[in-house]
Amino acid sequence: MSKLNVNAFEFVPGQGFRVPQQQPAQQPPQPPLQPIERPPQTEAPAPAPTISLNIGGSKPSPKPTPPSTRAPSPPPTISLNIGGSKPSSAPSTNAPSPAPAPAASKSIPSDASSPKTFSKASPVPSNAPPSKSLTLERAKTDTAAVAQDVKNAADEEVLNDLYGHTKEHLNVVFIGHVDAGKSTMGGNILYLCGMVDKRTMEKYEREAKEAGRDSWYLSWALDSTPQERAKGKTVEVGRAYFETDSRRYTILDAPGHKTFVPSMISGAAQADVAILVISARKGEFETGFEKGGQTREHIMLVKTAGVQKLICVINKMDDPTVGWSKARFEEIKERLTPFIKSAGFNVKNDLTFIPVSAYTGANLKDRVAKDVCDWFDGPSLLEHLDKMPMVDRKIHAPLMMPISEKYKDMGTIVVGKVESGHMRKGDTLLLMPNKNLVEVAAIYNEMEDEVDTALCGDNVRIRLRGVDDEEISPGFVLTSPTHPVHAVRQFEAQLAILEHKNIICAGYSAVMHCHTLAEEVTLAALLHYFDKATGRKSRKPPQFAKRGQKIVALIETAEPVCVERFVDYPQLGRFTLRDEGKTIAIGKITKLIEGSSVDEAAEGVANLNVSNA
């Protein structure tokens, strides 16, 4: 012990204690350094480097630092913040912070000295400000909240620079009996909204006077062909565009004559809102509404075409036989309402009656003057259109655009309304049912301006590359290659027989109108009928069907047609059957029968080439 004590330290005057030279080097300096590298367990350990993935929320502010004499350097953080706003860093406080719970995150250490922690979502402190970002929960439920979030997150200049002055878009179809004033109303709306200038209208007025058709000049804004102007009857669906302060509109002016009902159906298939034009003149309303008139048939057809909102406009209120009479307005309203209700419209929410004069423009844009009509206090037609609830758009569904027209103009041009999804310039799409891959070379809007994108609800013209216009027919569908529309030859459908002089049996043929498609079909078999008393399906198939019955039938077509089940895509799953110039039945598709192996084998044999070896 004395030897150890003697040789433990050497003391030299004027110098400090030192270890003798012969003793091997040890590591006593490390213990005093350990508290600097690793603090004692009484305090919270320094947080490890963190990688946090935060989708849709705001990035949480860092936790306050614990009090210490030496503030530790902040740990390196790799954060991925999608859709959130980056908040300012919180000031450090003297309040002690709780130790992080190790169970809250999965630790995947790369080595012993530098562990990395992956956490799915960082906890947001309770005192954090409300997020301005797009949250997934809100986006699923409320589009208005999303739009408000976008407005909160950015100022108006940034929004206008990014999106432009975009307004909601509605497609409006004018329907009604012949000579009710549909084209005149459309032409006057275009003039009042500034889409047709005064000089052009004066030219139309002068030409109409020369032709002896003084009162027709307003309709010439939509009836452009010499045939339509000479007879005063719309033949094809006229298209026009106008906008108000809050919305954009596409007018579809449908023909009222019963000869041109197929054109009217293709126009109604592209519409969101229908304006039923009724003539208040003595005798004209009765002719249109009685059996054989087009008012009843048009109401049924627009409901079958998928139009949910109906505005019933009582026109020609300025006529001398009417004189803005409230009694005449109420009489027409009382006679129309029960029939519109029986067609399937909700009278309380989906039906509105507005008295107007299309020729003078009263109650179209501005409300009618009180000295002219003192009993009507409601909004004008354009006011009502601007304040209507917006229809639901399936922007993120697979793309489907039925083609209504096609022509050749420096390439193949197709016209139609995007029923679901969206498309961009340069997209590669599939043209069904021929399964041709085509490229979108250009997209034109209603004003013939080229745009980069087309959303659900837009009426657009598209220049296609990779297909000839002779290979396209109205009724073809532009669709997404990943989720194409079904092309089938057989399907089951529920039919409601509206009007037929004879009974309908298996083997009956008619023309089916579905979206923009017109195809001859055969009822291959009648499968069930619905009991009127109970509403149940019969077990045995019926031998025939007659007027007023509801049946389930197997329908066959000669060529594949692009249709979908009604529950999946209502616009491509509802149809009408017409025969001999009358609407025989309306129906909805309940089941698609895919092509059988026999058909595929037959196609394979047809395409087989035999060559001599």
Side-chain angles (χ1 to χ4, degrees), residues 258-269 297 301 304-306 474-475 491 495 510-521 555 557 561-563 570-589:
K258 63 180 178 184
T259 312
F260 311 118
V261 167
S263 295
M264 177 263 159
I265 294 172
S266 71
E297 187 174 10
L301 288 172
T304 312
F491 54 88
L495 289 172
V511 177
M512 177 182 78
H513 293 270
C514 181
H515 52 88
T516 58
L517 172 75
E519 184 78 18
E520 189 165 343
V521 298
I555 297 177
T557 61
V561 293
C562 298
V563 291
Q571 206 63 33
L572 283 84
R574 48 164 72 93
F575 62 92
T576 54
L577 290 182
R578 299 192 85 246
D579 190 19
E580 299 176 0
K582 294 178 183 175
T583 301
I584 303 300
I586 58 174
K588 62 179 183 181
I589 297 168

Side-chain angles (χ1 to χ4, degrees), residues 174 180-182 184-186 188-189 275-281 311-319 322 324 329 353-368 372-373 375-376 379-382 384:
F174 287 100
K182 299 181 291 298
T184 302
M185 184 179 296
N188 209 345
I189 287 174
I275 296 181
L276 175 65
V277 184
I278 301 291
S279 173
R281 189 180 285 166
I311 302 172
C312 194
V313 173
I314 314 298
N315 190 22
K316 304 189 183 180
M317 292 294 288
D318 61 321
D319 191 80
V322 183
W324 290 93
F329 178 78
F353 286 89
I354 301 175
V356 301
S357 169
Y359 187 69
T360 63
N363 219 26
L364 286 183
K365 187 178 182 185
D366 300 321
R367 296 193 181 193
V368 63
V372 176
C373 175
W375 49 267
F376 185 74
S380 67
L381 178 60
L382 290 185
H384 180 70

Side-chain angles (χ1 to χ4, degrees), residues 224-281:
S224 52
T225 64
Q227 177 194 358
E228 290 178 327
R229 290 183 175 182
K231 294 188 176 180
K233 289 177 184 173
T234 307
V235 175
E236 294 179 347
V237 177
R239 284 172 180 272
Y241 171 80
F242 73 95
E243 58 181 85
T244 60
D245 293 336
S246 55
R247 281 181 179 167
R248 300 178 297 130
Y249 298 92
T250 298
I251 291 179
L252 300 159
D253 181 29
H257 201 276
K258 63 180 178 184
T259 312
F260 311 118
V261 167
S263 295
M264 177 263 159
I265 294 172
S266 71
Q270 301 167 56
D272 303 311
V273 179
I275 296 181
L276 175 65
V277 184
I278 301 291
S279 173
R281 189 180 285 166

Side-chain angles (χ1 to χ4, degrees), residues 81-221:
N81 189 18
I82 300 173
S85 57
K86 185 177 178 184
S88 57
S89 57
S92 60
T93 57
N94 289 331
S97 68
S105 59
K106 295 178 184 176
S107 179
I108 309 173
S110 56
D111 57 14
S113 60
S114 61
K116 289 189 178 182
T117 308
F118 294 85
S119 64
K120 281 193 176 179
S122 306
V124 181
S126 59
N127 59 352
S131 167
K132 286 184 179 179
S133 62
L134 303 179
T135 57
L136 292 177
E137 291 78 7
R138 233 180 294 172
K140 283 178 186 171
T141 55
D142 193 359
T143 53
V146 174
Q148 193 59 42
D149 277 346
V150 171
K151 283 186 180 178
N152 293 344
D155 59 1
E156 202 153 331
E157 286 183 17
V158 175
L159 289 173
N160 290 340
D161 184 47
L162 183 62
Y163 297 117
H165 295 274
T166 53
K167 298 177 183 176
E168 293 174 330
H169 181 249
L170 274 177
N171 298 286
V172 180
V173 64
F174 287 100
I175 59 168
H177 191 65
V178 64
D179 286 339
K182 299 181 291 298
S183 299
T184 302
M185 184 179 296
N188 209 345
I189 287 174
L190 293 177
Y191 175 59
L192 292 171
C193 293
M195 302 308 293
V196 179
D197 57 9
K198 191 175 181 182
R199 187 175 176 181
T200 308
M201 270 305 172
E202 286 172 355
K203 178 189 162 202
Y204 288 157
E205 191 172 5
R206 191 170 59 251
E207 289 174 358
K209 195 172 283 186
E210 288 170 5
R213 306 278 189 263
D214 295 21
S215 61
W216 290 4
Y217 75 96
L218 287 166
S219 68
W220 284 18

Side-chain angles (χ1 to χ4, degrees), residues 519-538:
E519 184 78 18
E520 189 165 343
V521 298
T522 306
L523 271 63
L526 307 183
L527 305 176
H528 309 279
Y529 69 89
F530 288 88
D531 192 335
K532 279 191 176 180
T534 61
R536 292 180 181 173
K537 280 198 293 189
S538 66

